[in-house]
Amino acid sequence: MLLALVLGVPACTAVSNSRPATGDPAGTAQDRPAAADDEADLGRDLEEARIESTATELSVEKRRRDSTHEIEKAERQVETARHAQKVFLEIETPLEVDELRLDLDRDRGRLDDQRAELVELEAMYAAEEFAKTTKELVIQRGRRQVAHAERDLELTVRRGRQKEIQRERRAIELARELSDAEFGLAGARADAQKLAIDVDLELRRARNKIADLEKKIAAKQKAKTEAAKTEQP
């Protein structure tokens, strides 16, 4: 009896150890929850990546519209500056110069007339038959008119010089405004070029992230399917 019991123990042990070979491996059963969790995490990551991609596309569209608007605004500023400079140089300046010349011609003509009248008065009142007081009043009046005409001419010349300085300053300001507007337009166009590169990179990254996650999920599902096939009897 004792010998039989001793000899029977290895036999039972061998039978017991041989049974799991016909069933699922213990490690595979334990790995199933972890694999499921991993696949679920990938699914959530994919959903978030798609939302982020949509947000990126909306942001890109807005930035493109803003960039286009900035370029159009800069182009309008350049056009306005060029128009203002053209009007100033071709219309306002010639008109002002012609008006000044007309004022100078009038003042010079008035001065010449006053001087001629004074000469005539002095010649006319040179005779003794006119009263001395009357002669002096008339001649003094004529001389005052000549002096006033001289002062008017001098003031017109000074005003003309002042306006010339103002025109020169205005021409410089308009040139600067046009230069600034052109600089702003060049900057807006350069920003648009950089934006095109940046948004293209952002969109590629967002789409590549989705593609990578989809590949990982597909690989997980394929591995799961293959594992299920090998487990079938």
Side-chain angles (χ1 to χ4, degrees), residues 8-18:
V9 170
C12 293
T13 304
V15 173
S16 176
N17 291 337
S18 63

Side-chain angles (χ1 to χ4, degrees), residues 166-206:
Q166 292 174 348
R167 288 196 303 272
E168 292 174 354
R169 185 182 299 115
R170 180 58 178 161
I172 293 173
E173 291 175 353
L174 289 172
R176 287 177 178 173
E177 290 176 1
L178 177 57
S179 178
D180 291 342
E182 290 175 341
F183 181 81
L185 176 57
R189 287 173 175 169
D191 290 341
Q193 292 177 350
K194 183 179 181 300
L195 175 64
I197 297 173
D198 291 342
V199 299
D200 180 68
L201 182 59
E202 291 178 12
L203 290 173
R204 285 188 181 185
R205 286 175 176 172

Side-chain angles (χ1 to χ4, degrees), residues 135-185:
K135 179 173 64 175
E136 291 178 352
L137 289 175
V138 173
I139 292 176
Q140 287 178 1
R141 185 182 303 114
R143 289 174 178 172
R144 282 198 303 271
Q145 290 175 347
V146 170
H148 291 164
E150 289 175 344
R151 290 172 63 186
D152 285 341
L153 178 59
E154 180 185 0
L155 288 174
T156 300
V157 172
R158 289 166 61 186
R159 290 192 190 98
R161 179 54 183 163
Q162 182 183 22
K163 289 182 178 180
E164 182 180 358
I165 294 173
Q166 292 174 348
R167 288 196 303 272
E168 292 174 354
R169 185 182 299 115
R170 180 58 178 161
I172 293 173
E173 291 175 353
L174 289 172
R176 287 177 178 173
E177 290 176 1
L178 177 57
S179 178
D180 291 342
E182 290 175 341
F183 181 81
L185 176 57

Side-chain angles (χ1 to χ4, degrees), residues 205-220:
R205 286 175 176 172
R207 291 164 183 168
N208 289 340
K209 185 177 180 180
I210 293 174
D212 292 342
L213 289 170
E214 288 176 342
K215 287 180 181 178
K216 290 180 179 180
I217 292 175
K220 290 284 184 181

Side-chain angles (χ1 to χ4, degrees), residues 27-175:
T28 303
Q30 292 174 358
D31 290 341
R32 287 177 182 174
D37 291 342
D38 189 22
E39 187 175 349
D41 291 340
L42 288 175
R44 286 191 294 269
D45 291 342
L46 177 60
E47 183 179 358
E48 291 177 359
R50 287 173 175 169
I51 295 173
E52 290 175 357
S53 178
T54 302
T56 299
E57 290 176 357
L58 294 174
S59 175
V60 164
E61 182 63 24
K62 180 181 182 303
R63 288 153 64 190
R64 283 175 175 167
R65 288 198 306 269
D66 292 343
S67 178
T68 301
H69 176 70
E70 289 299 323
I71 291 176
E72 292 175 351
K73 184 170 70 173
E75 289 175 342
R76 288 194 299 269
Q77 290 175 346
V78 170
E79 183 180 356
T80 300
R82 284 178 179 167
H83 179 71
Q85 186 183 57
K86 182 181 173 108
V87 170
F88 176 76
L89 294 176
E90 298 181 5
I91 299 177
E92 294 178 359
T93 296
L95 177 61
E96 190 174 85
V97 170
D98 289 342
E99 289 177 345
L100 175 61
R101 287 174 179 171
L102 180 58
D103 291 340
L104 287 172
D105 291 341
R106 285 173 177 171
D107 289 345
R108 289 192 182 106
R110 188 179 301 110
L111 177 59
D112 292 340
D113 293 341
Q114 295 297 331
R115 285 173 176 171
E117 289 179 6
L118 178 60
V119 171
E120 292 179 0
L121 288 173
E122 290 176 342
M124 185 177 63
Y125 282 99
E128 293 294 336
E129 62 268 15
F130 291 98
K132 182 178 180 180
T133 302
T134 303
K135 179 173 64 175
E136 291 178 352
L137 289 175
V138 173
I139 292 176
Q140 287 178 1
R141 185 182 303 114
R143 289 174 178 172
R144 282 198 303 271
Q145 290 175 347
V146 170
H148 291 164
E150 289 175 344
R151 290 172 63 186
D152 285 341
L153 178 59
E154 180 185 0
L155 288 174
T156 300
V157 172
R158 289 166 61 186
R159 290 192 190 98
R161 179 54 183 163
Q162 182 183 22
K163 289 182 178 180
E164 182 180 358
I165 294 173
Q166 292 174 348
R167 288 196 303 272
E168 292 174 354
R169 185 182 299 115
R170 180 58 178 161
I172 293 173
E173 291 175 353
L174 289 172

